[in-house]
Amino acid sequence: MYNFRTDMADERNEFYKASNDLDKDISGIKTSQFIENKHIRRNTIDVLNKNAEKAIGKPIGKYVTFDLEDLRYADEDEIEESASIIAKELKKIVDEKMPESDGEVLVVGLGNQYVTPDSLGPKVISEIEITRHLKKYAPKYVVDGAKSVSAIAPGVLGTTGIETFEIVKGIVENIRPKLIIAIDSLASKSIKRISSTVQIGNTGIVPGGGVDNKRMELSEKTLGVPVVAIGVPMVVDLATITDECLNVLIGKLQDEAKSNEYLNHIKNQSNYDEIRNALVPDDFNMIVTPKEIDDLIENMKNIVSKSINYAL
Amino acid sequence: MYNFRTDMADERNEFYKASNDLDKDISGIKTSQFIENKHIRRNTIDVLNKNAEKAIGKPIGKYVTFDLEDLRYADEDEIEESASIIAKELKKIVDEKMPESDGEVLVVGLGNQYVTPDSLGPKVISEIEITRHLKKYAPKYVVDGAKSVSAIAPGVLGTTGIETFEIVKGIVENIRPKLIIAIDSLASKSIKRISSTVQIGNTGIVPGGGVDNKRMELSEKTLGVPVVAIGVPMVVDLATITDECLNVLIGKLQDEAKSNEYLNHIKNQSNYDEIRNALVPDDFNMIVTPKEIDDLIENMKNIVSKSINYAL
Amino acid sequence: MYNFRTDMADERNEFYKASNDLDKDISGIKTSQFIENKHIRRNTIDVLNKNAEKAIGKPIGKYVTFDLEDLRYADEDEIEESASIIAKELKKIVDEKMPESDGEVLVVGLGNQYVTPDSLGPKVISEIEITRHLKKYAPKYVVDGAKSVSAIAPGVLGTTGIETFEIVKGIVENIRPKLIIAIDSLASKSIKRISSTVQIGNTGIVPGGGVDNKRMELSEKTLGVPVVAIGVPMVVDLATITDECLNVLIGKLQDEAKSNEYLNHIKNQSNYDEIRNALVPDDFNMIVTPKEIDDLIENMKNIVSKSINYAL
Amino acid sequence: MYNFRTDMADERNEFYKASNDLDKDISGIKTSQFIENKHIRRNTIDVLNKNAEKAIGKPIGKYVTFDLEDLRYADEDEIEESASIIAKELKKIVDEKMPESDGEVLVVGLGNQYVTPDSLGPKVISEIEITRHLKKYAPKYVVDGAKSVSAIAPGVLGTTGIETFEIVKGIVENIRPKLIIAIDSLASKSIKRISSTVQIGNTGIVPGGGVDNKRMELSEKTLGVPVVAIGVPMVVDLATITDECLNVLIGKLQDEAKSNEYLNHIKNQSNYDEIRNALVPDDFNMIVTPKEIDDLIENMKNIVSKSINYAL
């Protein structure tokens, strides 16, 4: 498998096609696009068979991506409208995975609340409208037939010493929800997508995609409960940027100097490791992020939490 | 049982004796005191039988209280010394409950991190030295024979929708620790003890003693693992203060006016409900707390987290 | 002057009348009430002469109080509506004090951001829409004829070592605004008003009314610029509560025991000092506050900052 | 002048020499190095004349740089030792600029507390031991002959609408300190120096060097009071990294392909603008920073604030 360095299904699909000089999607990948409004585009990728799964390294399932333009500092109306659009799709996915309208949903906010670009999950959790305890202890405050919603931010291995998977599994076994919605920060290859894109997938999630090491996956296979994943890119890896930078330069050199065999060779092999060694100190986990990341996360927290609250 | 309105074993014992006009401890209660240094006194209460348990509403076991004087704004040396003193006792209790020196300990920070006077537990968690994941993934970084430590802040029912007990039980079943240490904010009857007293008990804890409603207990009985509890009073209930205020006044009136039957009657019956109705609005959860509670919690977080790190 | 232990003009007026057994307002005090909607009542007190100023210890001027009922956890629509109502009155007061519609306004957030119940001022500042630098460096982004708005949180004497007055005076001399709007946390005598009442005054403010010691006043007299003050009660002093508690009890005793001279005597003299000595430790600054103060301040921050943004 | 893209005097000196193919420092630049201990190296650059000032774009004066190795997560002893070493040099510079040992010092924390990598200044301020108000209101708590210390975090133009210079000037005119110490986040060209280097200069500072736009300088010339600057690199500009990345690659290509005229040409001209256009979106302020920046700032806050407290 490629080292995609992105958690976004659509970026992986593009990368796969580019790497193999393909004009169109391979069999087993179905893509479609939709303009929601002047700010929001929706991109859907269906991974239909094992072949496609292997190509882009994403399990069979559906991946819906919302690209939000000029909404990094959205006003209240824009947040409402964006959340409604995303909620509609989220609700559809939730309903497919959990037909009973009054089922119990556990919302899981992945990531480390003390590391700014990794804090989206825990921050969203603090805005989710919790009803599970009301249904149990004060049912008169809950509308009949409403879903029962609980939420937890399990922290990360480095601060708890416990795998996220172990914590979630323990809770699932005790409270037996019918569906899990997991929120996480992701990595993208594109600076433009930072805090501007929301990906919803119906096949689970591997915690720590964005800024931490990969961990045991949360999915129906491992937990016995369907897992809907909501992810937002918050960082681009520094090595990704430098690699991209090299490709741009080499392309430029080739245009001028005409085909240069050595350049061609460098471009084809991945420069990733070489450059990482030259530029990125080993003992560091350098990320590229907007200076205003603290504000951007507040904004995205509002959009994502409202999307979930509306969908449930 | 009395409505003690305090989680402190020694306060309950005093209250019980005063209410029953007793000069000394009842059979089944054994108390001792020790001066640690000019700032710190240690108070030990052993609850030895069912009779004592019923009298003060605390399960059979040992309760050690450290009263810290003039240490609300401790400097670094004072924090170190206090933590060492507390750690010594804590280690003794831990060793009794878990003889294997390299056993696995789960530290649980109870309380709501977004409610200042209830945030001690989650704040302590963020300072605990976690080693469980190192033992598993990077054993060379861990001293041979060291304990394996993990930590979690499970949140509160109101923000997760899940009983703290259910979360902790799920984790315990998955990671199977040999001992739990639980930290919580408590309620005291005495303003002087706020952020100045540390109680260690070896019989578990009922989450939410301090500022939340009582919940299902965490104990060896319910979890199958011994639970050592560390609590620090952070608030006094407003009704407790007003009740106390009435008792002071009535005592004063009686001194002056000589035995007044009506006053006597009022003093003997609890004025609690009456006064609460007159003074404390129903829809409020009013607490009495020092203005500087944010700073005090930082201070206490340092003392408690160091105590635990040293003891483990 | 009385020790009012409240910064609210209407509470002082009531207290003055009660203490002097008056049925109606004294000459020089004019009061009026208005029901804004089912949640909000507006109370206006005009202090018209030196006599009235002396009686209630508030300078000649206008004090408008909005009591917000059931809005401690307001939803977005309620916040909008409340802010609009308050903004209308605030705009009227601003326009009286600064007729030029494009004048420069300096918003000052008083209080200590690291002490939760004193943090309203600094928190509101972070939500104010600042335009002064745009007018100067990027005028095309500012509507013609709009006010120029700047904002500062000067901190408190204990953390800066500098009087708030000295800081504000220095800034005023350098940027020469036409009007100052100052926001501060206040003390009230009533638990019900905590985080539920907004007082607007047109005569300046003495920083630290709520939870800190009184400091040099910010007013047109001291700064040469009109100062509009916005205050929200966030705490009740513990001694205030205990005093109130005594009055309730004594009243009750008197009802039952018929006129009791000694009780009468106690009620007439202030029990404040006596009780404070008996109950409230000296070295403490104990406050009574709702457990949920962190959340309440977020809510009030939204209402107040929107009120200011709409008014300007 | 060059676009140095670094605020560090030693990096600028190296860059100047490299750009002009010089083996040693130009006349007017004097450099020296000193090994403080196994973790800390001290680098001193004296800018002695106008010629040197023009070459590296730093005013005539002294610039001392401490490089801290392996201290990003320092324990308490390491923090103490580092702070003592830095404090010794800081004290020397302070004493030169303000001979009176009991003079008044104003500490200014530059930067935006709500933008993580720009928050060092305000965070340090909250740890400074303030004595000015004690000297005034409670002199018995202050040692005779001690300095009078006050501190302020003036915010940034974008959130106050007021130039930092205007705020500081107003305060200086009102409280008339004898010396200013200003702390700011800086930009470096080297990832290795992020949160690992402390630069002390005796000639003032231009706020916003690190992550904001350049603003009016704080210096003896503009404020009438000497200004000692303490800066810590917290970010590297993304365009700087990509430029560096190109240089590494071009060097590598040249080694292999032998002297290639076009490559040579590219290497000599600055690739900065070209690459910025290709890679770095215009409407973004992308920075490169360690994932763990929140923790690193806590660590550096402790070192810098203790350095200042010890020096004063």
Side-chain angles (χ1 to χ4, degrees), chain A residues 37-54:
Chain A
N37 68 15
K38 71 177 167 144
H39 289 302
I40 303 184
R41 269 176 313 116
R42 166 160 52 94
N43 228 345
T44 305
I45 296 204
D46 287 289
V47 177
L48 300 167
N49 59 29
K50 277 285 164 191
N51 183 44
E53 174 172 321
K54 213 179 132 206

Side-chain angles (χ1 to χ4, degrees), chain D residues 111-125:
Chain D
N112 186 344
Q113 65 170 316
Y114 299 111
V115 171
T116 305
D118 200 26
S119 64
L120 180 70
K123 285 198 168 151
V124 166
I125 288 308

Side-chain angles (χ1 to χ4, degrees), chain C residues 98-304:
Chain C
M98 182 182 71
E100 51 274 66
S101 72
D102 64 344
E104 177 156 349
V105 178
L106 171 64
V107 185
V108 179
L110 301 168
N112 186 343
Q113 64 169 317
Y114 300 111
V115 170
T116 306
D118 199 26
S119 63
L120 180 70
K123 285 197 169 151
V124 166
I125 287 308
S126 70
E127 304 291 326
I128 296 297
E129 283 165 23
I130 305 302
T131 56
R132 181 177 179 267
H133 60 312
L134 297 177
K135 279 194 116 170
K136 203 166 161 188
Y137 297 105
K140 66 177 172 172
Y141 290 112
V142 187
V143 181
D144 263 10
K147 288 186 177 49
S148 163
V149 180
S150 56
I152 189 145
V156 297
L157 181 62
T159 63
T160 63
I162 314 173
E163 285 278 358
T164 299
F165 173 76
E166 293 173 302
I167 296 175
V168 175
K169 182 157 164 281
I171 296 169
V172 166
E173 287 165 359
N174 271 274
I175 73 171
R176 307 217 163 278
K178 292 280 181 294
L179 182 85
I180 289 173
I181 295 178
I183 302 111
D184 203 1
S185 302
L186 303 180
S188 162
K189 294 183 80 161
S190 157
I191 289 178
K192 282 194 193 268
R193 288 189 127 181
I194 292 181
S195 205
S196 289
T197 300
V198 177
Q199 175 177 271
I200 306 177
N202 65 0
T203 60
I205 193 165
V206 180
V211 284
D212 217 337
N213 298 319
K214 300 272 175 189
R215 317 253 40 114
M216 291 171 67
E217 92 178 16
L218 307 180
S219 69
E220 183 153 16
K221 197 160 54 184
T222 62
L223 291 170
V225 179
V227 177
V228 172
I230 302 179
V232 178
M234 283 299 169
V235 298
V236 176
D237 189 85
L238 177 55
T240 302
I241 296 282
T242 51
D243 196 16
E244 199 71 18
C245 148
L246 296 180
N247 289 334
V248 170
L249 178 71
I250 292 168
K252 202 156 169 300
L253 293 177
Q254 288 178 317
D255 285 355
E256 313 258 350
K258 311 301 179 227
S259 165
N260 176 322
E261 205 175 312
Y262 178 71
L263 290 175
N264 231 337
H265 162 73
I266 290 195
K267 180 150 194 178
N268 285 340
Q269 91 171 93
S270 179
N271 307 298
Y272 190 79
D273 296 336
E274 232 173 312
I275 299 303
R276 165 164 271 216
N277 291 345
L279 280 172
V280 185
D282 264 5
D283 56 335
F284 272 85
N285 203 341
M286 299 304 296
I287 54 172
V288 176
T289 193
K291 192 190 72 158
E292 303 81 359
I293 183 76
D294 305 68
D295 279 352
L296 297 180
I297 282 186
E298 282 306 299
N299 188 56
M300 208 28 116
K301 177 195 79 176
N302 289 331
I303 293 178
V304 173

Side-chain angles (χ1 to χ4, degrees), chain A residues 88-115:
Chain A
K88 226 176 72 191
E89 190 69 27
L90 179 59
K91 186 166 181 346
K92 213 185 296 174
I93 292 175
V94 164
D95 288 346
E96 276 165 26
K97 289 287 174 184
M98 183 182 70
E100 51 273 69
S101 72
D102 63 344
E104 176 156 351
V105 179
L106 171 64
V107 185
V108 179
L110 301 169
N112 186 343
Q113 65 170 316
Y114 299 111
V115 169

